[in-house]
Amino acid sequence: MTFSKRIVLVYTFIVTIPLIVLLIFIFSGVKRRNYAQLKNDCLLAAEANALQIRRNLAVFDSIEQMIGGNYELMHFLRVPEGLSEEERIQTLIAETDEIERTLSVLPDIYGLRVFANNPLIQERWPIIMSSDRTDLYSLKKWECNYEANYIGNMTHLSELSVCSTRSLKYYNLSVGYLQVTMKMEDFFPFLYEGKAAFLNDYIYSLRRSGDEGGYELIPIVNEKVIQRNKTLSSAEIAAIQKELSENFVAQRGLFVLKNGFKKSYAAWHLVPDMELAIVHTASFDAIRSQIYLLESFVLFAILATVIILFFIIRLTSAKLLSGVYALIAGMKKVQGGDYNTRLEENAKDELGEALHSFNRMAAQLGTQIELIKQEEHLIAETEMKAMQNQINAHFLYNILETIKMQAVIANEDDIAESLTVLGKLMHYSLRWKIHIVHLSQEIEYIRSYIYLLNLRNDYVISLQTEIPEEYGSILIPKMILQPLVENSFSHGIEPLGKDAAIRVFSQLDPQNKERLFLCVQDFGGGIPKEKLAEIQDYLSLDAYEKDNTGSIGLKNIQQRLVILYGKNFRIQIESKEGQGTCIKIPIKREIERDDSCFDC
């Protein structure tokens, strides 16, 4: 991204970030107010529904008081025997007319029926009926979704209703029953009103469950109610039951009702007289829809503002940075090798000073380049002379081969063999472009080294190799075993000056099956404890230091192991005075093959 684009983006963000923070603050306030309003509306709706039911209960109670306080009617129901048949008919007509006149001023009352226990009282439909007409004893005081199936052909009075059935008594003697009904739509109008999709009302019948004081909710619904209101899930009903059981004494309350990711406010009221619970729910979806709509509008406005600001700042910055662009173009020319580039210094501010400094730098750079070219010519001539003075390693191999052929012609087989071994030794050791070799190649090199050692000594050194054949193809760093063999000879065998053995063997790491130890063991005088501790401390340091401990080659081997395998691959030294020394080199059993590995 170019410098000018970064400037444009920075200044755009400087303007937009405070704007976004302000909008987030405003959104939060609007969101809190909307949720508070939804909560308050939910409480008010539940309160209004409860008030509607209480008004209907008051109407039912006033009718019961009116009927129960009618002395003539109660006396007629108790002792109709004292009247003649004609008087009984006249009384029946008069009382029925009076009840019908009362009902005319109570339009919400769907039905009023007085059931007489005395068989002498004749029925006058639909007001006066016989108690034997239906099973009144099994009815509770309040029945919802009640259907008067005994009405016969008067089907207009058998719609679903809220029914109150109460015993009529005259001087504590039962004379019959009073049944008052109101249509479900009139008693619970809020269940049948069309509301927004996020608002719902529910009526539940309360029933105690168990001895723990909890309550079970039985929904009061019918086909029309279900069509207008969504039904709650069993989990939601269980949550309402828990809320009512814990706060039953309060008679009302509000809580958050959760159903998966959906949330609603649920306000509830109890109607103890009817053993009903009224629940009004208001879903958060309505608030979320408003918030999302507002957010979409504001985000669109922010996006439009950002785009306009971006182009305004871009045009302004392009004009202000024209000098910077000229400076960059000049730098590119210098980078391409044109050291004669000069820029026009037409500004008198900081940019003008930068252009002036660039012109001076370009002039000085051209002068320095000429000096460097002259120095390179001198260095090239010096390196050529140094290369002419170097000894060609291939020339040495050819000389050894010539001497070997002279020994063969003279029938000096031992000398020829020795020269062959020496040539292999030099070929292996001088090729340091090769850093990774097979384990079998390193072992062969050690054998050649021991062979040459035995030529110069009057005692015999035996090399015992105990490495399985399948390990021969493992790749290892070059020259990690020869220095150990050389140390064994120099410090363990040569001071004794007698026949000796050097043992080279492998050993699996018991803690890591992928790691293998290559071990070199001699049976010489061993290393004193102080000296051994000094060597081990020296090897534990990762920083390179000149070897002053006498452990020739060990530091170099340790550093190469760390580079190739990691810091956990450390040389282990085991030594006892008078018994010899064993040095263990950790390697991986298999490493990735390197193109630099070849058959030496």
Side-chain angles (χ1 to χ4, degrees):
M1 184 180 293
T2 62
F3 177 70
S4 61
K5 289 183 178 179
R6 290 200 297 269
I7 289 180
V8 171
L9 290 177
V10 167
Y11 280 103
T12 303
F13 284 133
I14 288 174
V15 175
T16 56
I17 288 177
L19 179 61
I20 293 173
V21 172
L22 177 63
L23 289 175
I24 290 175
F25 179 76
I26 295 174
F27 281 156
S28 299
V30 172
K31 186 177 180 180
R32 286 194 299 270
R33 286 195 297 270
N34 286 346
Y35 278 111
Q37 183 64 42
L38 183 67
K39 180 179 180 180
N40 186 60
D41 292 345
C42 187
L43 285 169
L44 292 177
E47 182 69 33
N49 294 341
L51 181 61
Q52 176 69 40
I53 293 176
R54 293 191 187 99
R55 289 173 180 169
N56 294 333
L57 291 178
V59 173
F60 276 63
D61 290 340
S62 64
I63 292 176
E64 180 185 14
Q65 293 175 6
M66 179 193 69
I67 298 299
N70 189 336
Y71 175 79
E72 290 79 5
L73 177 60
M74 293 297 102
H75 181 75
F76 173 69
L77 296 176
R78 175 69 181 89
V79 286
E81 295 88 351
L83 301 173
S84 64
E85 182 176 356
E86 184 178 354
E87 289 175 336
R88 287 198 298 270
I89 293 174
Q90 293 299 326
T91 301
L92 187 63
I93 294 174
E95 294 298 335
T96 301
D97 291 342
E98 183 178 353
I99 292 174
E100 287 180 343
R101 285 193 298 271
T102 303
L103 289 178
S104 64
V105 298
L106 298 172
D108 289 338
I109 297 300
Y110 180 49
L112 191 155
R113 293 177 280 274
V114 177
F115 294 91
N117 292 338
N118 197 313
L120 294 177
I121 299 176
Q122 297 178 345
E123 291 184 334
R124 184 172 175 83
W125 285 45
I127 303 299
I128 306 298
M129 296 185 181
S130 173
S131 298
D132 296 335
R133 176 64 62 179
T134 184
D135 185 7
L136 298 170
Y137 182 77
S138 63
L139 295 176
K140 294 186 293 185
K141 182 179 179 180
W142 294 98
E143 295 282 349
C144 295
N145 290 320
Y146 179 75
E147 185 177 4
N149 52 15
Y150 55 85
I151 297 298
N153 59 357
M154 301 179 70
T155 55
H156 65 284
L157 296 177
S158 62
E159 294 185 25
L160 296 180
S161 61
V162 175
C163 174
S164 174
T165 304
R166 315 181 187 195
S167 176
L168 292 175
K169 293 184 179 181
Y170 183 64
Y171 291 108
N172 293 327
L173 294 176
S174 178
V175 296
Y177 292 90
L178 171 64
Q179 190 175 80
V180 183
T181 62
M182 184 180 292
K183 289 183 179 180
M184 289 285 291
E185 291 92 333
D186 296 330
F187 199 92
F188 302 118
F190 46 84
L191 290 181
Y192 298 86
E193 294 172 352
K195 300 185 182 69
F198 61 92
L199 298 175
N200 285 282
D201 290 291
Y202 307 93
I203 300 293
Y204 295 96
S205 175
L206 290 173
R207 185 172 66 186
R208 283 190 174 273
S209 58
D211 299 328
E212 299 179 357
Y215 289 88
E216 180 183 0
L217 301 181
I218 302 174
I220 297 176
V221 294
N222 54 49
E223 186 175 349
K224 290 184 179 179
V225 173
I226 293 175
Q227 289 176 355
R228 288 172 171 81
N229 291 273
K230 298 178 181 178
T231 57
L232 295 177
S233 65
S234 58
E236 291 173 318
I237 294 177
I240 297 174
Q241 290 178 170
K242 181 180 178 182
E243 175 71 17
L244 265 63
S245 299
E246 293 175 353
N247 302 281
F248 190 81
V249 177
Q251 300 290 301
R252 69 187 67 187
L254 181 137
F255 69 104
V256 177
L257 184 62
K258 299 179 181 179
N259 182 17
F261 294 103
K262 294 185 178 181
K263 295 181 180 180
S264 303
Y265 280 124
W268 56 273
H269 272 259
L270 298 182
V271 183
D273 293 342
M274 296 184 69
E275 295 183 342
L276 295 180
I278 306 167
V279 179
H280 178 81
T281 63
S283 175
F284 288 7
D285 291 343
I287 303 298
R288 288 172 180 165
S289 300
Q290 297 175 9
I291 295 295
Y292 291 158
L293 183 62
L294 182 60
E295 285 179 347
S296 300
F297 174 76
V298 174
L299 287 176
F300 175 77
I302 291 175
L303 182 61
T305 303
V306 169
I307 292 174
I308 294 172
L309 286 174
F310 178 82
F311 283 105
I312 293 175
I313 296 174
R314 184 175 181 180
L315 293 174
T316 305
S317 63
K319 184 176 181 180
L320 294 175
L321 295 176
S322 58
V324 176
Y325 295 147
L327 183 60
I328 293 173
M331 290 181 178
K332 289 182 178 180
K333 289 181 179 179
V334 172
Q335 184 180 6
D338 185 3
Y339 303 109
N340 296 321
T341 300
R342 299 295 183 269
L343 301 178
E344 184 179 355
E345 303 175 17
N346 55 2
K348 296 182 179 181
D349 52 10
E350 292 83 352
L351 182 60
E353 293 181 4
L355 295 172
H356 179 68
S357 298
F358 171 82
N359 290 334
R360 287 188 301 169
M361 179 197 69
Q364 293 175 357
L365 188 59
T367 302
Q368 293 294 328
I369 291 296
E370 290 299 322
L371 294 175
I372 291 172
K373 287 181 179 179
Q374 295 176 7
E375 292 177 359
E376 286 181 346
H377 285 301
L378 293 174
I379 292 172
E381 292 177 0
T382 302
E383 289 181 347
M384 183 63 67
K385 292 178 181 179
M387 290 175 63
Q388 290 173 353
N389 293 327
Q390 289 181 349
I391 298 176
N392 193 325
H394 190 63
F395 173 74
L396 293 178
Y397 299 149
N398 291 337
I399 293 298
L400 283 176
E401 188 66 23
T402 301
I403 296 172
K404 172 185 172 183
M405 293 306 298
Q406 290 175 345
V408 171
I409 293 172
N411 292 323
E412 296 291 343
D413 295 336
D414 292 340
I415 296 175
E417 179 64 21
S418 298
L419 289 172
T420 300
V421 174
L422 179 59
K424 291 173 60 178
L425 216 63
M426 291 181 64
H427 181 72
Y428 184 84
S429 59
L430 293 178
R431 296 290 299 273
W432 271 103
K433 290 185 178 180
I434 309 303
H435 301 290
I436 303 296
V437 297
H438 291 112
L439 178 56
S440 60
Q441 294 170 337
E442 186 79 0
I443 297 298
E444 184 63 28
Y445 176 73
I446 294 173
R447 289 195 180 100
S448 299
Y449 178 74
I450 294 296
Y451 176 85
L452 294 177
L453 283 180
N454 284 328
L455 289 179
R456 52 171 284 197
N457 298 318
D458 56 357
Y459 52 87
V460 177
I461 301 173
S462 300
L463 180 65
Q464 301 173 1
T465 55
E466 302 173 10
I467 297 178
E469 184 178 352
E470 62 268 19
Y471 291 168
S473 60
I474 293 177
L475 299 178
I476 64 171
K478 185 178 181 180
M479 297 288 285
I480 64 169
L481 292 182
Q482 188 277 338
L484 306 184
V485 173
E486 183 177 350
N487 282 352
S488 296
F489 169 74
S490 300
H491 301 289
I493 297 176
E494 190 173 29
L496 300 178
K498 60 180 182 180
D499 293 350
I502 297 177
R503 182 178 174 225
V504 179
F505 61 96
S506 61
Q507 187 180 79
L508 283 176
D509 187 347
Q511 297 180 350
N512 185 355
K513 298 301 183 182
E514 297 301 321
R515 187 159 66 174
L516 180 72
F517 286 104
L518 299 179
C519 308
V520 177
Q521 181 179 13
D522 65 65
F523 303 93
I527 305 174
K529 290 184 178 179
E530 296 78 7
K531 187 67 174 179
L532 179 60
E534 184 180 351
I535 295 173
Q536 290 173 337
D537 290 341
Y538 174 69
L539 293 177
S540 65
L541 300 175
D542 291 331
Y544 175 77
E545 296 179 8
K546 185 178 180 180
D547 191 347
N548 296 319
T549 65
S551 56
I552 299 173
L554 288 180
K555 186 69 173 181
N556 178 273
I557 294 172
Q558 179 63 78
Q559 289 176 335
R560 286 194 286 152
L561 290 174
V562 170
I563 292 172
L564 187 59
Y565 301 126
K567 292 185 177 182
N568 293 329
F569 284 74
R570 295 283 179 180
I571 296 175
Q572 299 180 13
I573 304 177
E574 300 173 358
S575 182
K576 291 184 179 180
E577 290 189 63
Q579 298 183 16
T581 302
C582 181
I583 301 179
K584 299 181 178 181
I585 305 295
I587 64 169
K588 287 186 177 180
R589 293 181 62 181
E590 292 183 8
I591 63 175
E592 185 177 355
R593 183 171 182 86
D594 196 308
D595 292 338
S596 63
C597 178
F598 78 114
D599 295 331
C600 296

